């Protein structure tokens, strides 16, 4: 019985859904099970069960399978990738392979000839199969085998010509696409490609932590071609290997069935054994996150909403690089922008597009700096202005003047805590009375990793290891580690926040140039300051993160 009729007989789909899928299949030639999954008519396990019955094959869960390296080496990566099958067991001259495409069983003759074994087949989920191949054979392993087997590109007198030729090889293009595709699939925010004397390391920054990509050791032989390919994609000078270069790549990639657009900021720097590359991955199709989704507590969010609804003043978001400051500002703008409010941003670079907001990108080559952009923006009659970062005295002074002339100004600073932003402005040369009269509120934040929901479990707490100010708790949630979180116990990140609102007493202390600690203690006693530590501990107790994450993020 055909798969479609089998699913209808089981009551999984109706005849109408089957007819729609068959019409699509006639037009595209795509496999029926993939069409049904894309339509949302069936679940993966339902398809797998039906295929198993149709072809009389056992079903294997590759997430639970542990395979010895000697068995994996029985099939080359190129064959594994081409035939979408993996060896999972070997016993008495019989090799068991898992596949997601039982319709291609006639290709098993090649495996029989290649291994000299009798072949038995098991059925596996297609997504799990691809994860298994990446985990055990490495990203782009089949492409590297193909490159190693092929002839080296012809070398010409012009070195740049040889680079272009090597980088234009179809296998190199595919290899770079595999590396970038894997980074996007793993939710990486940065890709690091680092040359050493005898290896080329590829690392992904996932949830703020660098993790090695699983790439075969032979990749170092093609390091120069990989770098050249990235340079071509970013419109950089492929022959220049002595100076740093910066560029951008716009990439379209399918994520969970939907094509999304990514903006990759590329930085190339010459190093001892070649050129190092870092790519910052920005999802241009990403939906702006709500402040609630970022982890902002309800009470703090209510106070922040009151601040961002004010007609004028400066609101600052502080924290180290990569702590989510820009995301918070975008989320805040999204809450207040309407037809009655004109908002203009000056950013370096524009990371996300916000509907209804006029966004300007800094271009220092033509003199469009933060301060110059801000001065021009004020002539466009804005209600709200966002400056990507206050870096110098000139930008700080212009921001203060903008707030005093009736504009609400958002910006960021690099300080350890909220109260420290006032002293940072004073250090930049802004007069104390200007800081006291213009700043309305300061939000400090950090990002900590979330406990993976797939493998979270309660664990007994050793009371002796808890900080003295930590609220009492007998058990806390931790992640045991699973495939979903790359065995880290964490998946995704959540914000930890501290909000400082400027009171009359705080303004007076700023006027007298009091230090950040004195201002924080005074504001805390007045209830005008909720600290990062308090919010972090609350998130630990709620099971969102771990105590170790919070203490690491807040270490000074």
């Amino acid at each position: 019985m055909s798969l479609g009729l089998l699913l209808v007989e089981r009551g999984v789909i109706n005849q109408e859904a089957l007819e729609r899928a068959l019409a699509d299949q006639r037009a595209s030639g795509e496999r029926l099970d993939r069409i049904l999954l894309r339509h949302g008519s069936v679940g993966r396990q339902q398809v797998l069960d039906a295929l198993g019955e149709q072809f009389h094959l056992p079903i294997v869960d590759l997430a639970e399978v542990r395979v010895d390296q000697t068995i994996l080496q029985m099939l080359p990566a190129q064959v594994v990738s081409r035939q979408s099958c993996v060896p999972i067991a070997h016993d008495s001259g019989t090799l068991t392979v898992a596949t997601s495409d039982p319709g291609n069983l006639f290709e098993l003759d090649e495996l029989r000839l290649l291994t000299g074994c009798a072949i038995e087949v098991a059925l596996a989920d297609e997504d799990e199969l691809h994860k298994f191949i990446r985990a055990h054979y490495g990203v782009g392993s089949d492409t590297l085998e193909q490159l190693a087997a092929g002839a080296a590109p012809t070398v010409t007198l012009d070195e740049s010509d040889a680079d272009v030729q090597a980088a234009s090889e179809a296998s190199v293009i595919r290899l770079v696409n595999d590396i970038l595709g894997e980074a996007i699939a793993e939710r990486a925010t940065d890709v690091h490609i680092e040359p050493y004397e005898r290896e080329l390391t590829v690392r992904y920054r996932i949830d703020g932590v660098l993790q090695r990509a699983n790439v075969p050791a032979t990749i170092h032989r093609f390091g120069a071609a990989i770098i050249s390919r990235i340079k071509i994609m970013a419109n950089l000078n492929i022959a220049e290997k002595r100076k740093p270069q910066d560029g951008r790549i716009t990439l379209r990639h399918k994520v969970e069935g939907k094509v999304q657009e990514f903006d990759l900021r590329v930085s190339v720097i010459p190093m001892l054994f070649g050129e190092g590359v870092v790519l910052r991955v920005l999802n241009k199709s990403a939906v702006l996150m709500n402040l609630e989704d970022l982890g902002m507590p309800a009470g703090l969010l209510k106070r922040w909403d009151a601040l961002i609804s004010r007609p004028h003043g400066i609101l600052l978001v502080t924290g180290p690089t990569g702590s989510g400051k820009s995301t918070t500002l975008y989320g805040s703008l999204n809450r207040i922008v309407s037809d009655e409010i004109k908002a203009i941003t000056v950013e370096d670079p524009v990371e996300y597009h916000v509907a209804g907001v006029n966004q300007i990108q800094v271009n220092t080559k033509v003199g469009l700096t933060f301060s110059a952009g801000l001065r021009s923006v004020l002539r466009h009659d804005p209600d709200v202005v966002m400056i990507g970062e206050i870096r110098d005295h000139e930008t700080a002074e212009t921001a203060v003047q903008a707030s005093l002339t009736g504009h609400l100004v958002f910006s960021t600073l690099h300080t350890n805590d909220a109260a420290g932003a006032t002293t940072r402005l004073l250090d930049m040369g802004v007069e104390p009375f200007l800081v006291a009269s213009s700043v309305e509120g300061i939000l400090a934040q950090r990002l900590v990793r979330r406990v993976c929901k797939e493998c979270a479990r309660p664990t007994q707490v050793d009371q002796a290891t808890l900080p003295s100010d930590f609220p009492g708790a007998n058990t806390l949630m931790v992640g045991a580690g699973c495939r979903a979180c790359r065995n880290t116990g964490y998946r995704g990140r959540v914000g930890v926040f501290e909000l400082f609102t400027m009171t009359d007493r705080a303004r007076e202390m700023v006027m007298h140039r009091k230090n950040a600690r004195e201002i924080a203690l005074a504001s805390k006693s007045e209830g005008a300051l909720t600290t990062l530590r308090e919010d972090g501990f609350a998130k630990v107790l709620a099971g969102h993160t771990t105590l170790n994450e919070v203490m690491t993020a807040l270490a000074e």
Side-chain angles (χ1 to χ4, degrees):
M1 189 181 295
S2 71
L3 176 66
L5 292 177
L6 194 58
L7 289 169
V8 170
E9 186 183 88
R10 287 180 164 211
V12 176
I13 60 173
N14 56 33
Q15 191 63 37
E16 185 183 347
L18 176 59
E19 292 298 333
R20 282 200 309 271
L22 289 172
D24 269 14
Q25 187 183 40
R26 285 191 290 270
S28 66
E30 191 179 0
R31 275 171 47 181
L32 183 64
D33 56 326
R34 289 175 179 167
I35 294 172
L36 289 168
L37 285 168
R38 183 158 44 80
H39 286 183
S41 306
V42 294
R44 289 192 170 278
Q45 191 58 48
Q46 291 171 319
V47 167
L48 207 57
D49 291 340
L51 284 171
E53 182 178 332
Q54 184 187 13
F55 288 93
H56 306 288
L57 294 175
I59 295 169
V60 62
D61 182 2
L62 289 178
E64 302 297 326
V65 171
R66 300 291 177 267
V67 184
D68 190 85
Q69 192 64 33
T70 56
I71 296 174
L72 292 171
Q73 290 171 353
M74 293 181 73
L75 290 181
Q78 207 170 331
V79 173
V80 166
S81 181
R82 186 176 70 247
Q83 295 201 11
S84 290
C85 65
V86 291
I88 58 172
H90 180 236
D91 182 39
S92 303
T94 299
L95 181 68
T96 303
V97 297
T99 181
S100 62
D101 188 5
N104 282 339
L105 295 182
F106 63 89
E107 292 188 0
L108 296 180
D109 285 338
E110 181 183 353
L111 304 185
R112 216 172 273 115
L113 292 171
L114 195 64
T115 61
C117 297
I119 304 296
E120 287 190 355
V121 180
L123 198 58
D125 176 72
E126 188 169 21
D127 280 359
E128 286 296 332
L129 181 70
H130 291 156
K131 287 179 184 176
F132 187 94
I133 293 172
R134 288 200 303 269
H136 292 84
Y137 288 90
V139 180
S141 53
D142 58 321
T143 310
L144 284 167
E145 277 190 4
Q146 193 175 334
L147 277 168
T154 305
V155 178
T156 64
L157 291 176
D158 185 347
E159 188 181 4
S160 64
D161 286 347
D163 289 339
V164 170
Q165 185 174 345
S168 300
E169 293 284 329
S171 297
V172 174
I173 293 171
R174 183 179 168 194
L175 178 59
V176 172
N177 289 346
D178 284 345
I179 292 170
L180 298 181
E182 174 76 355
I184 290 168
E186 294 290 348
R187 305 173 297 106
T189 54
D190 300 86
V191 181
H192 294 242
I193 302 175
E194 303 158 330
Y196 297 99
E197 187 174 8
R198 291 184 177 84
E199 68 172 331
L200 184 78
T201 300
V202 180
R203 295 194 287 174
Y204 302 143
R205 189 175 294 279
I206 302 170
D207 296 332
V209 178
L210 277 173
Q211 301 177 31
R212 275 204 180 218
N214 183 18
V215 293
T218 53
I219 195 171
H220 77 276
R221 295 168 54 189
F222 312 99
I226 291 168
I227 304 304
S228 296
R229 172 59 189 164
I230 291 172
K231 282 184 174 181
I232 290 171
M233 294 171 73
N235 292 317
L236 299 179
N237 183 355
I238 199 169
E240 179 55 74
K241 299 184 179 180
R242 299 169 299 171
K243 295 192 301 186
Q245 297 186 72
D246 295 317
R248 305 179 84 103
I249 299 170
T250 298
L251 186 72
R252 292 172 68 83
H253 186 76
K254 187 176 284 188
V255 180
E256 295 179 353
K258 294 182 181 178
V259 176
Q260 297 185 15
E261 194 167 283
F262 294 84
D263 190 23
L264 309 182
R265 300 208 312 262
V266 183
S267 176
V268 183
I269 298 179
M271 294 182 177
L272 188 61
F273 297 105
E275 292 175 288
V277 179
V278 174
L279 302 99
R280 167 63 59 88
V281 183
L282 299 171
N283 187 349
K284 295 171 74 173
S285 308
V287 179
L288 284 173
M289 293 183 72
N290 294 322
L291 296 183
E292 294 92 340
D293 295 336
L294 292 173
M296 197 174 283
L300 188 145
L301 178 57
K302 186 176 180 181
R303 291 168 56 203
W304 182 246
D305 274 336
L307 289 170
I308 64 178
S309 301
R310 293 192 178 191
H312 55 79
I314 294 179
L315 297 176
L316 297 171
V317 180
T318 77
T321 302
S323 59
K325 300 186 296 296
S326 297
T327 305
T328 296
L329 286 179
Y330 282 127
S332 301
L333 277 178
N334 214 32
R335 291 176 84 86
I336 61 173
V337 167
S338 66
D339 290 340
E340 291 78 36
I341 291 177
K342 175 157 185 171
I344 306 180
T345 71
V346 184
E347 306 172 60
D348 182 23
V350 174
E351 294 187 9
Y352 298 100
H353 300 296
V354 186
V357 176
N358 301 271
Q359 295 174 271
I360 300 168
Q361 182 148 314
V362 165
N363 187 346
T364 52
K365 291 180 181 177
V366 298
L368 180 54
T369 60
F370 279 120
S371 55
L374 180 56
R375 285 195 300 273
S376 300
V377 157
L378 295 177
R379 291 192 283 272
H380 275 243
D381 186 33
D383 299 292
V384 178
V385 177
M386 185 181 107
I387 315 164
E389 185 183 346
I390 295 178
R391 295 177 178 171
D392 50 41
H393 171 76
E394 188 179 4
T395 307
E397 284 279 6
T398 311
V400 167
Q401 293 302 325
S403 71
L404 295 176
T405 52
H407 302 88
L408 182 63
V409 180
F410 290 101
S411 193
T412 68
L413 273 178
H414 290 282
T415 62
N416 286 332
D417 56 19
T422 57
T423 55
R424 177 62 56 86
L425 291 174
L426 296 177
D427 292 341
M428 285 182 179
V430 182
E431 291 295 331
F433 73 93
L434 291 176
V435 175
S437 55
S438 60
V439 175
E440 295 294 337
I442 304 163
L443 184 74
Q445 68 180 72
R446 301 288 190 276
L447 285 178
V448 295
R449 291 181 291 174
R450 285 184 185 270
V451 173
C452 175
K453 293 179 181 177
E454 300 293 325
C455 58
R457 57 179 175 80
T459 303
Q460 284 293 123
V461 176
D462 181 358
Q463 300 295 322
T465 63
L466 297 176
S468 58
D469 57 338
F470 188 82
N474 294 320
T475 60
L476 295 174
M477 297 300 289
V478 297
C482 63
R483 180 176 287 188
C485 60
R486 293 173 66 100
N487 293 312
T488 62
Y490 300 98
R491 183 173 172 84
R493 289 190 287 178
V494 64
V496 176
F497 299 91
E498 171 178 292
L499 180 59
F500 166 81
T501 50
M502 191 70 85
T503 62
D504 290 340
R505 186 180 177 189
R507 294 184 202 279
E508 186 180 339
M509 295 182 79
V510 171
M511 290 281 287
H512 289 90
R513 293 183 177 271
K514 298 293 184 181
N515 63 45
R517 180 172 175 77
E518 290 178 288
I519 295 172
L521 288 172
S523 298
K524 178 69 178 164
S525 66
E526 289 186 309
L529 175 68
T530 53
T531 67
L532 287 165
R533 199 174 176 92
E534 290 170 344
D535 188 37
F537 288 168
K539 287 185 168 64
V540 172
L541 290 170
H544 299 315
T545 187
T546 62
L547 187 57
N548 183 58
E549 274 293 294
V550 171
M551 300 309 292
T552 302
L554 302 187
E556 296 181 1

